[in-house]
Amino acid sequence: MHRIFAALLAVSGCASIAQAQSTDLALAGPSFTLDQALELAGASSPSLEVASAGIRSADAARTVAGLRPNPSIVTQTENVAGSGQYRDVRSAETTAGLELPIELGGKRSARIAVADARGQRAAIAAAVTLADLRLAVIQAYVEAVAAERRLATAREQSGLAAEGLRAARVRVRAGRASPIEEQRADVVRINAEAAVERAIRTLEVARGNLARRIGQPIGGMLDVAWFDRVAGYGPTQGIDPGGTLAMAAAQADVATADAQVRLARSQRVPDITLSASARRLAATNDTAAVFGVSIPFPVFNNGSAAVAQARAERDQSDAQGRVIALETAQAIAAAEAEVANAATTARTASGPALVAAQESARIARIGYREGKFGQLDLLDAERTLSETRAAAIDALAAYHDAQARRDRLTTAAPDLTKD
């Protein structure tokens, strides 16, 4: 069952955690892709075990619903322990036989219909679990890749800060700048090194969370190229929520409620019990056959209240389905717009804005070394570059997260007619 879920998860997406030093070694290995993470999560996730157990339970319930009532063995002794000729067991009459309940009104087929509806609901619940798992894995992967990017950026900024400190020392030693410039540059270096330490710890946590999702430690770097890639995005097109998992679940609830109404109606028809027995008369040692029919008399409970309850629950499920249709359509429209906006932001932040910030910082570093710009100009350019890099990483992470949540909302329901 887990292999099936793993295959579905891979198609839909097309141990201890090391410390800082071992993390660096792990990052030197081959890239660990999102598809690999999805496949491993599908093979080890306990949530899929829950969904699998739910399907097996529904299958067993279907079998139970199709079973007929069991017959009963009946024994009865009369005319014993009385007075006169009925003293002791001299006139005893012993009856032994079978009673067979006969269901009327289509109760068995109604029970099967309810079990079938619940089985389809369990299959949809399994698909929902699979889609939720895919979303959780993608979000954990995005968080881990973003942490890797932030660590690389922090290390680069730390290197630039160290270079700025060396340049400041040269200027101070040459008498071209005040000693305060060296102290200011040293503060920037210290803060940059602290940022690297924080980024390392954040990366360890993010990779650890992803490792727990997939059930094993992660070896190698994550797929940064995938993270940096922003797909082209044109005008949004309306997506019909009718084929989504949310609507399929709502429709399955309505189908179950319909079956419950049918079952409640069938319960209004009384069942009969047929009996066939043999009676032994102790007084004459003779044997006689006894036949009987038992029919309930629905005086106090004729089942109309149960039918009314089932109809009300069916109306509730139908109304809830219309609410879900409205909310799903709104959520999909909002998700489409969010993906488009996130794509625009990511392309801008990681494209022209980042190039401009890098060029500005490069010119400021050259100008500072040559004495054409002051240190404050350099620090301002470096701070702008750092903020732009952070904004680009945040924008890319937001884009992938928005895309994953949009895909979760629009996940198509499984075709249960093939079963």
Side-chain angles (χ1 to χ4, degrees), residues 187-229:
V187 170
V188 172
R189 179 192 61 80
I190 293 172
N191 290 335
E193 291 177 353
V196 171
E197 294 181 7
R198 291 193 297 269
I200 290 174
R201 286 190 289 269
T202 300
L203 176 58
E204 289 176 352
V205 172
R207 288 174 67 91
N209 290 336
L210 179 59
R212 280 184 281 273
R213 281 289 181 185
I214 65 177
Q216 67 178 52
I218 303 170
M221 289 186 63
L222 302 181
D223 192 354
V224 178
W226 168 85
F227 182 77
D228 291 338
R229 190 162 51 248

CSV table of all heavy atoms in Angstrom, one decimal, residues 187-229:
chain,number,residue,atom,x,y,z
A,187,VAL,N,32.8,46.1,13.5
A,187,VAL,CA,31.4,45.8,14.0
A,187,VAL,C,30.6,45.1,12.9
A,187,VAL,O,29.9,44.1,13.1
A,187,VAL,CB,30.8,47.1,14.5
A,187,VAL,CG1,29.3,46.8,14.7
A,187,VAL,CG2,31.4,47.6,15.7
A,188,VAL,N,30.8,45.6,11.7
A,188,VAL,CA,30.0,44.9,10.5
A,188,VAL,C,30.5,43.5,10.4
A,188,VAL,O,29.7,42.6,10.1
A,188,VAL,CB,30.3,45.8,9.3
A,188,VAL,CG1,29.7,45.0,8.0
A,188,VAL,CG2,29.6,47.2,9.4
A,189,ARG,N,31.8,43.3,10.5
A,189,ARG,CA,32.3,41.9,10.4
A,189,ARG,C,31.8,41.0,11.4
A,189,ARG,O,31.4,39.8,11.2
A,189,ARG,CB,33.9,41.9,10.4
A,189,ARG,CG,34.5,40.5,10.3
A,189,ARG,CD,36.0,40.6,10.6
A,189,ARG,NE,36.2,41.0,12.0
A,189,ARG,CZ,36.1,40.3,13.1
A,189,ARG,NH1,35.8,39.0,13.0
A,189,ARG,NH2,36.4,40.8,14.3
A,190,ILE,N,31.8,41.5,12.7
A,190,ILE,CA,31.3,40.6,13.8
A,190,ILE,C,29.8,40.3,13.6
A,190,ILE,O,29.4,39.1,13.8
A,190,ILE,CB,31.5,41.4,15.1
A,190,ILE,CG1,33.0,41.5,15.4
A,190,ILE,CG2,30.8,40.7,16.2
A,190,ILE,CD1,33.3,42.4,16.6
A,191,ASN,N,29.0,41.3,13.2
A,191,ASN,CA,27.6,41.0,12.9
A,191,ASN,C,27.4,40.0,11.8
A,191,ASN,O,26.5,39.2,11.8
A,191,ASN,CB,26.9,42.3,12.7
A,191,ASN,CG,26.8,43.2,13.9
A,191,ASN,OD1,26.8,42.7,15.0
A,191,ASN,ND2,26.7,44.5,13.7
A,192,ALA,N,28.3,40.1,10.8
A,192,ALA,CA,28.1,39.2,9.6
A,192,ALA,C,28.5,37.8,10.0
A,192,ALA,O,27.8,36.8,9.6
A,192,ALA,CB,29.1,39.7,8.5
A,193,GLU,N,29.5,37.6,10.9
A,193,GLU,CA,29.8,36.3,11.3
A,193,GLU,C,28.7,35.7,12.2
A,193,GLU,O,28.4,34.5,12.2
A,193,GLU,CB,31.2,36.3,12.1
A,193,GLU,CG,32.4,36.6,11.2
A,193,GLU,CD,33.7,36.7,12.0
A,193,GLU,OE1,33.6,36.7,13.3
A,193,GLU,OE2,34.7,36.8,11.4
A,194,ALA,N,28.1,36.6,13.0
A,194,ALA,CA,27.0,36.1,13.8
A,194,ALA,C,25.8,35.7,13.0
A,194,ALA,O,25.1,34.7,13.3
A,194,ALA,CB,26.5,37.2,14.8
A,195,ALA,N,25.6,36.4,11.9
A,195,ALA,CA,24.5,36.1,10.9
A,195,ALA,C,24.8,34.7,10.3
A,195,ALA,O,23.9,33.9,10.1
A,195,ALA,CB,24.4,37.1,9.9
A,196,VAL,N,26.1,34.4,10.0
A,196,VAL,CA,26.4,33.1,9.5
A,196,VAL,C,26.1,32.0,10.5
A,196,VAL,O,25.5,30.9,10.1
A,196,VAL,CB,27.9,33.0,9.1
A,196,VAL,CG1,28.3,31.6,8.8
A,196,VAL,CG2,28.2,33.9,8.0
A,197,GLU,N,26.4,32.2,11.8
A,197,GLU,CA,26.1,31.2,12.8
A,197,GLU,C,24.6,31.0,12.9
A,197,GLU,O,24.1,29.8,13.0
A,197,GLU,CB,26.6,31.6,14.1
A,197,GLU,CG,28.2,31.6,14.2
A,197,GLU,CD,28.7,32.0,15.5
A,197,GLU,OE1,27.9,32.2,16.5
A,197,GLU,OE2,29.9,32.2,15.7
A,198,ARG,N,23.8,32.1,12.9
A,198,ARG,CA,22.3,31.9,12.9
A,198,ARG,C,21.8,31.2,11.7
A,198,ARG,O,20.9,30.3,11.8
A,198,ARG,CB,21.7,33.3,13.0
A,198,ARG,CG,21.9,34.0,14.4
A,198,ARG,CD,21.0,35.2,14.5
A,198,ARG,NE,21.2,36.2,13.5
A,198,ARG,CZ,22.1,37.2,13.6
A,198,ARG,NH1,22.8,37.3,14.8
A,198,ARG,NH2,22.2,38.1,12.7
A,199,ALA,N,22.4,31.5,10.5
A,199,ALA,CA,21.9,30.8,9.3
A,199,ALA,C,22.3,29.3,9.3
A,199,ALA,O,21.5,28.5,8.8
A,199,ALA,CB,22.6,31.5,8.1
A,200,ILE,N,23.4,28.9,9.9
A,200,ILE,CA,23.7,27.5,10.0
A,200,ILE,C,22.7,26.8,10.9
A,200,ILE,O,22.2,25.7,10.5
A,200,ILE,CB,25.2,27.4,10.6
A,200,ILE,CG1,26.2,27.8,9.6
A,200,ILE,CG2,25.4,25.9,11.0
A,200,ILE,CD1,27.6,27.8,10.1
A,201,ARG,N,22.4,27.4,12.0
A,201,ARG,CA,21.4,26.7,12.9
A,201,ARG,C,20.1,26.6,12.3
A,201,ARG,O,19.4,25.6,12.4
A,201,ARG,CB,21.4,27.5,14.3
A,201,ARG,CG,22.6,27.2,15.2
A,201,ARG,CD,22.3,27.8,16.5
A,201,ARG,NE,22.4,29.3,16.5
A,201,ARG,CZ,23.5,30.0,16.7
A,201,ARG,NH1,24.6,29.4,16.9
A,201,ARG,NH2,23.4,31.3,16.7
A,202,THR,N,19.7,27.7,11.6
A,202,THR,CA,18.4,27.7,10.9
A,202,THR,C,18.3,26.6,9.8
A,202,THR,O,17.3,25.9,9.6
A,202,THR,CB,18.1,29.0,10.2
A,202,THR,OG1,18.1,30.0,11.2
A,202,THR,CG2,16.7,29.0,9.5
A,203,LEU,N,19.4,26.4,9.1
A,203,LEU,CA,19.5,25.4,8.1
A,203,LEU,C,19.4,24.0,8.7
A,203,LEU,O,18.8,23.1,8.1
A,203,LEU,CB,20.8,25.5,7.3
A,203,LEU,CG,21.1,24.5,6.2
A,203,LEU,CD1,20.0,24.4,5.2
A,203,LEU,CD2,22.4,24.7,5.5
A,204,GLU,N,20.1,23.8,9.8
A,204,GLU,CA,20.1,22.5,10.5
A,204,GLU,C,18.6,22.1,10.9
A,204,GLU,O,18.2,21.0,10.7
A,204,GLU,CB,21.0,22.5,11.7
A,204,GLU,CG,22.5,22.5,11.4
A,204,GLU,CD,23.3,22.6,12.6
A,204,GLU,OE1,22.7,22.8,13.7
A,204,GLU,OE2,24.5,22.4,12.5
A,205,VAL,N,17.9,23.1,11.4
A,205,VAL,CA,16.5,22.9,11.8
A,205,VAL,C,15.7,22.6,10.6
A,205,VAL,O,14.9,21.6,10.6
A,205,VAL,CB,16.0,24.1,12.5
A,205,VAL,CG1,14.5,23.9,12.8
A,205,VAL,CG2,16.7,24.3,13.9
A,206,ALA,N,15.8,23.3,9.5
A,206,ALA,CA,15.0,23.1,8.3
A,206,ALA,C,15.3,21.8,7.6
A,206,ALA,O,14.4,21.1,7.2
A,206,ALA,CB,15.3,24.3,7.3
A,207,ARG,N,16.6,21.4,7.5
A,207,ARG,CA,16.9,20.1,7.0
A,207,ARG,C,16.4,19.0,7.9
A,207,ARG,O,16.0,17.9,7.4
A,207,ARG,CB,18.4,20.0,6.7
A,207,ARG,CG,18.9,20.8,5.6
A,207,ARG,CD,20.4,20.8,5.5
A,207,ARG,NE,20.9,19.5,5.1
A,207,ARG,CZ,21.1,19.1,3.9
A,207,ARG,NH1,20.9,19.9,2.8
A,207,ARG,NH2,21.6,17.9,3.6
A,208,GLY,N,16.5,19.2,9.2
A,208,GLY,CA,16.0,18.2,10.1
A,208,GLY,C,14.5,18.0,10.0
A,208,GLY,O,14.0,16.9,10.0
A,209,ASN,N,13.7,19.1,9.8
A,209,ASN,CA,12.3,19.0,9.6
A,209,ASN,C,12.0,18.2,8.3
A,209,ASN,O,11.1,17.4,8.3
A,209,ASN,CB,11.6,20.4,9.6
A,209,ASN,CG,11.6,21.0,10.9
A,209,ASN,OD1,11.7,20.4,12.0
A,209,ASN,ND2,11.6,22.4,10.9
A,210,LEU,N,12.7,18.5,7.3
A,210,LEU,CA,12.5,17.8,6.0
A,210,LEU,C,12.9,16.3,6.2
A,210,LEU,O,12.2,15.5,5.6
A,210,LEU,CB,13.3,18.5,4.9
A,210,LEU,CG,13.3,17.8,3.5
A,210,LEU,CD1,11.8,17.8,3.0
A,210,LEU,CD2,14.2,18.5,2.5
A,211,ALA,N,14.0,16.1,6.9
A,211,ALA,CA,14.4,14.7,7.1
A,211,ALA,C,13.3,13.9,7.8
A,211,ALA,O,13.0,12.7,7.6
A,211,ALA,CB,15.7,14.6,7.8
A,212,ARG,N,12.7,14.5,8.8
A,212,ARG,CA,11.6,13.9,9.5
A,212,ARG,C,10.4,13.6,8.6
A,212,ARG,O,9.7,12.6,8.8
A,212,ARG,CB,11.2,14.7,10.8
A,212,ARG,CG,12.1,14.5,11.9
A,212,ARG,CD,11.7,15.3,13.2
A,212,ARG,NE,12.0,16.7,13.0
A,212,ARG,CZ,13.1,17.3,13.4
A,212,ARG,NH1,14.1,16.5,13.9
A,212,ARG,NH2,13.3,18.6,13.3
A,213,ARG,N,10.1,14.5,7.7
A,213,ARG,CA,9.0,14.3,6.8
A,213,ARG,C,9.3,13.1,5.8
A,213,ARG,O,8.3,12.4,5.5
A,213,ARG,CB,8.8,15.5,5.9
A,213,ARG,CG,8.1,16.6,6.6
A,213,ARG,CD,6.6,16.3,6.8
A,213,ARG,NE,5.9,17.3,7.4
A,213,ARG,CZ,4.6,17.2,7.8
A,213,ARG,NH1,3.9,16.1,7.5
A,213,ARG,NH2,4.0,18.2,8.4
A,214,ILE,N,10.5,12.9,5.4
A,214,ILE,CA,10.8,11.8,4.5
A,214,ILE,C,11.3,10.6,5.1
A,214,ILE,O,11.5,9.5,4.5
A,214,ILE,CB,11.8,12.3,3.4
A,214,ILE,CG1,13.2,12.5,4.1
A,214,ILE,CG2,11.4,13.5,2.7
A,214,ILE,CD1,14.3,12.9,3.1
A,215,GLY,N,11.5,10.6,6.4
A,215,GLY,CA,11.9,9.4,7.2
A,215,GLY,C,13.3,9.0,7.1
A,215,GLY,O,13.6,7.9,7.5
A,216,GLN,N,14.2,9.9,6.7
A,216,GLN,CA,15.6,9.5,6.7
A,216,GLN,C,16.5,10.8,6.5
A,216,GLN,O,16.0,11.8,6.1
A,216,GLN,CB,15.9,8.6,5.5
A,216,GLN,CG,15.8,9.2,4.1
A,216,GLN,CD,16.2,8.2,3.0
A,216,GLN,OE1,15.7,7.1,3.0
A,216,GLN,NE2,17.0,8.6,2.2
A,217,PRO,N,17.7,10.7,6.9
A,217,PRO,CA,18.6,11.9,6.8
A,217,PRO,C,18.8,12.3,5.4
A,217,PRO,O,18.7,11.5,4.4
A,217,PRO,CB,19.9,11.4,7.5
A,217,PRO,CG,19.6,10.3,8.3
A,217,PRO,CD,18.4,9.6,7.6
A,218,ILE,N,19.1,13.5,5.1
A,218,ILE,CA,19.3,14.1,3.8
A,218,ILE,C,20.8,14.1,3.5
A,218,ILE,O,21.6,14.7,4.3
A,218,ILE,CB,18.7,15.5,3.7
A,218,ILE,CG1,17.2,15.4,4.0
A,218,ILE,CG2,18.9,16.0,2.3
A,218,ILE,CD1,16.6,16.8,4.2
A,219,GLY,N,21.2,13.6,2.3
A,219,GLY,CA,22.5,13.7,1.9
A,219,GLY,C,22.7,14.6,0.7
A,219,GLY,O,21.9,14.6,-0.2
A,220,GLY,N,23.6,15.5,0.7
A,220,GLY,CA,23.9,16.4,-0.4
A,220,GLY,C,23.1,17.7,-0.3
A,220,GLY,O,22.2,17.9,0.6
A,221,MET,N,23.4,18.6,-1.2
A,221,MET,CA,22.7,19.8,-1.3
A,221,MET,C,21.3,19.6,-1.9
A,221,MET,O,21.0,18.6,-2.5
A,221,MET,CB,23.4,20.8,-2.2
A,221,MET,CG,24.7,21.3,-1.7
A,221,MET,SD,25.4,22.6,-2.8
A,221,MET,CE,24.1,23.9,-2.7
A,222,LEU,N,20.4,20.6,-1.6
A,222,LEU,CA,19.1,20.6,-2.2
A,222,LEU,C,19.1,21.2,-3.6
A,222,LEU,O,20.1,21.8,-4.0
A,222,LEU,CB,18.1,21.3,-1.3
A,222,LEU,CG,18.0,20.7,0.2
A,222,LEU,CD1,17.0,21.5,1.0
A,222,LEU,CD2,17.7,19.2,0.1
A,223,ASP,N,18.0,21.1,-4.3
A,223,ASP,CA,18.0,21.6,-5.7
A,223,ASP,C,17.8,23.1,-5.7
A,223,ASP,O,16.7,23.6,-5.8
A,223,ASP,CB,16.9,20.8,-6.4
A,223,ASP,CG,17.0,21.0,-7.9
A,223,ASP,OD1,17.8,21.8,-8.4
A,223,ASP,OD2,16.2,20.4,-8.6
A,224,VAL,N,18.9,23.8,-5.6
A,224,VAL,CA,18.8,25.3,-5.7
A,224,VAL,C,18.3,25.8,-7.0
A,224,VAL,O,17.6,26.8,-7.1
A,224,VAL,CB,20.2,25.9,-5.3
A,224,VAL,CG1,20.1,27.4,-5.3
A,224,VAL,CG2,20.6,25.4,-3.9
A,225,ALA,N,18.7,25.1,-8.1
A,225,ALA,CA,18.3,25.5,-9.4
A,225,ALA,C,16.7,25.5,-9.5
A,225,ALA,O,16.2,26.4,-10.1
A,225,ALA,CB,18.9,24.6,-10.5
A,226,TRP,N,16.1,24.5,-8.9
A,226,TRP,CA,14.6,24.5,-8.9
A,226,TRP,C,14.1,25.7,-8.2
A,226,TRP,O,13.1,26.3,-8.6
A,226,TRP,CB,14.2,23.2,-8.3
A,226,TRP,CG,12.7,23.1,-8.0
A,226,TRP,CD1,11.7,22.8,-8.9
A,226,TRP,CD2,12.1,23.5,-6.8
A,226,TRP,NE1,10.5,23.0,-8.2
A,226,TRP,CE2,10.7,23.4,-6.9
A,226,TRP,CE3,12.6,23.9,-5.5
A,226,TRP,CZ2,9.8,23.6,-5.9
A,226,TRP,CZ3,11.7,24.1,-4.5
A,226,TRP,CH2,10.3,24.0,-4.7
A,227,PHE,N,14.7,26.0,-7.0
A,227,PHE,CA,14.3,27.1,-6.2
A,227,PHE,C,14.4,28.4,-6.9
A,227,PHE,O,13.5,29.3,-6.8
A,227,PHE,CB,15.1,27.1,-4.9
A,227,PHE,CG,14.7,28.1,-3.9
A,227,PHE,CD1,13.5,28.0,-3.2
A,227,PHE,CD2,15.4,29.3,-3.8
A,227,PHE,CE1,13.1,29.0,-2.3
A,227,PHE,CE2,15.0,30.3,-2.9
A,227,PHE,CZ,13.9,30.1,-2.1
A,228,ASP,N,15.4,28.6,-7.7
A,228,ASP,CA,15.6,29.8,-8.4
A,228,ASP,C,14.7,30.0,-9.7
A,228,ASP,O,14.6,31.1,-10.2
A,228,ASP,CB,17.1,30.0,-8.8
A,228,ASP,CG,18.0,30.2,-7.6
A,228,ASP,OD1,17.5,30.6,-6.6
A,228,ASP,OD2,19.2,29.9,-7.8
A,229,ARG,N,14.1,28.9,-10.1
A,229,ARG,CA,13.4,28.9,-11.3
A,229,ARG,C,11.9,29.4,-11.1
A,229,ARG,O,11.2,28.9,-10.2
A,229,ARG,CB,13.3,27.5,-11.9
A,229,ARG,CG,12.8,27.5,-13.3
A,229,ARG,CD,13.1,26.2,-14.1
A,229,ARG,NE,12.8,25.0,-13.3
A,229,ARG,CZ,13.8,24.2,-12.8
A,229,ARG,NH1,15.0,24.5,-12.9
A,229,ARG,NH2,13.4,23.1,-12.1
